[in-house]
Amino acid sequence: MTALTIGALLIAALIFLVLLGMQIAVALFAVAFAGVWIIRDNFELAMRLLSITAYNGIADYLFATIPLFVLMGLLVSVSNVGRDTFEVAESLLRRIAGGLGVATVAANTVFAAVTGVSIASAAVFTRVAVPEMRRHGYRAGFSAGTVAGSSVLGMLIPPSLLLIIYGVLAEVSIGRMFVAGVIPGVMLALGFVAVIMLLARFRPAFVFTDPSAAARTATREREMGGREIAVKLLPILMLVVLVLGGLYSGFFTPTEAGGVGAFGALVIALARRKLDRHRIWEVLKQTGTVSVGILILLIAAGFYSRMLSVAGIPNAIGDVVRMSGFGPYGFLVLYVVLLLLLGMILDSSSILLIMVPIAAPIAQSMGFDLIHFGIVTVIAVEIGLLTPPFGISVFTVHNTLADPSVGVEQIFLGTVPFMLVMLGSLALIALFPFLTLALV
């Protein structure tokens, strides 16, 4: 067998092992090691390549970004900033048709700018927004679907762990990836708001248990005054301005922005008296667990990428695509379709780790800007968070809700409008690269 054939079989073996339930990092290490050993028929070379990758894989100062942003997100979560943001959005938007749904999207958008993790957003707003929406006559499936749908903003609006992972895998600037995510993130948020308002007006039966006019707006028992709004919003707005303002102005590098953001989040948590000895330990332990897991994945992905290069997979697939006559956008369509299919069975990080080392060199050889290609990739992968049977955001909402009367199929149905908005935005962003590159 040729190296290309062996490489293709190893990719199939990798997907098979992940589907069997093997940890993605273990599967990447095993397949990459076996691949180098078989293709070069040299056990010592495989061991040497593994040791080099393990030593150099995360030695860069840039990788400190990951634990710092994770720490910032966890500190913000324990400070109840998400609850305050939703309450303010609810107060300001209560008179709009579908106002609580719009408030959920607005709060998720702001929360995403300081957390960078979709699952964290889904867990927080399931506890905060879903009970309030149901109390005001919203359907359970739509309420949970709105939280799951809008939670994907956490992986696009910077800072985002998926953008960091893509930047590392494709070897592009993480700071530029963050800037490129702004316009697409705002587009998605505005699209979600528009679809909620349109459904509330023209398809109220989909949104409300009682589609009468009286149920279409929420009325708070107590009006929130300007001073209270300012007190609740000031901490998160200061954090957003501090982190993203410093990042976009070029005053901070991504790593410095993560450090400043984590310190700011710590100050907020201490000022609100939300941290005791037990919570501090839990936050630090979760930060370590999440960060080490991601860093091990990146080392494994680096080893896997080197195996692909040894096998000549990216060059061979690129030659096949060019000879097929598909052209750059034909390749992009096939790539996006493959990402959407993989999203039905794998989580976001696994898809990036498997596909980006193969696709990024091909995309670059076909003239795509890797920043633009990365935003298209992340949006397509994020759609997978909402698609059955895997739909990790949907299952996060379902498990957090812990309500036997709300089936997972109801939540999947509630996310359909949001998936359609994401597909439309994905098409626009793919066709018009300036939507991602205008600010870069």
Side-chain angles (χ1 to χ4, degrees):
M1 287 191 292
T2 64
L4 180 60
T5 304
I6 294 171
L9 290 174
L10 288 169
I11 293 171
L14 173 62
I15 296 173
F16 178 71
L17 289 174
V18 173
L19 290 176
L20 283 181
M22 181 178 286
Q23 292 288 335
I24 180 68
V26 177
L28 284 167
F29 276 125
V31 168
F33 187 88
V36 174
W37 185 7
I38 294 169
I39 292 169
R40 290 300 176 88
D41 192 23
N42 190 328
F43 179 82
E44 289 187 6
L45 176 63
M47 287 293 294
R48 194 176 310 119
L49 200 58
L50 174 60
S51 65
I52 291 171
T53 304
Y55 181 77
N56 296 328
I58 55 172
D60 197 292
Y61 166 75
L62 178 66
F63 289 97
T65 306
I66 293 171
L68 289 171
F69 277 124
V70 171
L71 176 61
M72 180 175 68
L74 290 171
L75 287 170
V76 167
S77 295
V78 301
S79 302
N80 284 339
V81 168
R83 178 182 296 277
D84 288 350
T85 307
F86 175 76
E87 288 178 354
V88 171
E90 176 192 355
S91 176
L92 296 176
L93 302 168
R94 66 189 183 279
R95 301 191 187 282
I96 299 174
L100 286 181
V102 176
T104 301
V105 173
N108 245 319
T109 303
V110 177
F111 195 69
V114 292
T115 56
V117 184
S118 294
I119 304 307
S121 297
V124 167
F125 288 102
T126 298
R127 299 188 188 99
V128 172
V130 173
E132 189 71 8
M133 291 176 74
R134 293 188 67 182
R135 189 166 66 86
H136 284 284
Y138 287 73
R139 287 190 176 277
F142 178 80
S143 302
T146 299
V147 171
S150 57
S151 71
V152 302
L153 295 169
M155 283 302 186
L156 189 59
I157 295 177
S160 159
L161 287 182
L162 279 192
L163 292 180
I164 293 173
I165 292 172
Y166 173 86
V168 171
L169 295 175
E171 297 182 358
V172 296
S173 165
I174 290 174
R176 294 182 70 208
M177 287 299 303
F178 282 176
V179 175
V182 174
I183 293 178
V186 172
M187 278 180 58
L188 277 183
L190 293 176
F192 292 162
V193 167
V195 78
I196 290 171
M197 294 176 68
L198 289 171
L199 286 170
R201 178 158 186 168
F202 298 107
R203 291 288 185 272
F206 185 82
V207 179
F208 305 103
T209 53
D210 176 12
S212 65
R216 298 185 196 181
T217 58
T219 303
R220 288 180 59 88
E221 291 78 1
R222 181 180 62 84
E223 294 292 328
M224 188 178 291
R227 180 182 175 84
E228 187 179 358
I229 289 175
V231 169
K232 286 180 177 289
L233 272 189
L234 186 61
I236 193 166
L237 291 181
M238 288 181 63
L239 201 56
V240 170
V241 170
L242 182 66
V243 175
L244 300 190
L247 191 61
Y248 297 153
S249 67
F251 191 76
F252 297 146
T253 66
T255 306
E256 290 166 347
V260 170
F263 179 75
L266 176 62
V267 171
I268 292 170
L270 290 173
R272 292 184 164 208
R273 299 181 179 179
K274 296 296 183 181
L275 283 180
D276 54 26
R277 188 179 302 173
H278 174 70
R279 280 188 174 176
I280 290 173
W281 172 247
E282 284 300 314
V283 165
L284 292 175
K285 187 168 68 172
Q286 287 183 49
T287 299
T289 301
V290 173
S291 301
V292 169
I294 293 172
L295 292 172
I296 289 175
L297 283 173
L298 291 176
I299 293 173
F303 191 30
Y304 167 72
S305 180
R306 293 187 184 208
M307 183 275 292
L308 293 176
S309 298
V310 169
I313 294 286
N315 291 334
I317 294 177
D319 291 340
V320 170
V321 171
R322 280 187 288 271
M323 289 187 296
S324 67
F326 282 126
Y329 278 92
F331 160 73
L332 189 62
V333 169
L334 290 175
Y335 173 66
V336 167
V337 169
L338 183 57
L339 291 181
L340 295 176
L341 292 174
L342 287 175
M344 296 181 180
I345 55 176
L346 297 175
D347 66 278
S348 302
S349 298
S350 298
I351 298 171
L352 286 182
L353 294 166
I354 293 170
M355 293 302 300
V356 171
I358 300 171
I362 300 170
Q364 190 170 34
S365 70
M366 292 190 147
F368 285 104
D369 185 293
L370 287 184
I371 299 290
H372 170 237
F373 186 73
I375 298 299
V376 171
T377 297
V378 169
I379 294 175
V381 166
E382 283 293 277
I383 295 173
L385 291 178
L386 306 178
T387 52
F390 195 80
I392 189 169
S393 278
V394 172
F395 281 100
T396 298
V397 170
H398 183 259
N399 292 337
T400 305
L401 199 57
D403 185 346
S405 68
V406 184
V408 70
E409 69 282 352
Q410 292 176 268
I411 305 177
F412 274 120
L413 181 62
T415 64
V416 169
F418 300 95
M419 281 193 286
L420 294 177
V421 169
M422 293 184 74
L423 287 170
S425 299
L426 177 62
L428 286 173
I429 290 165
L431 290 172
F432 303 105
F434 71 86
L435 291 173
T436 58
L437 303 176
L439 300 178
V440 176

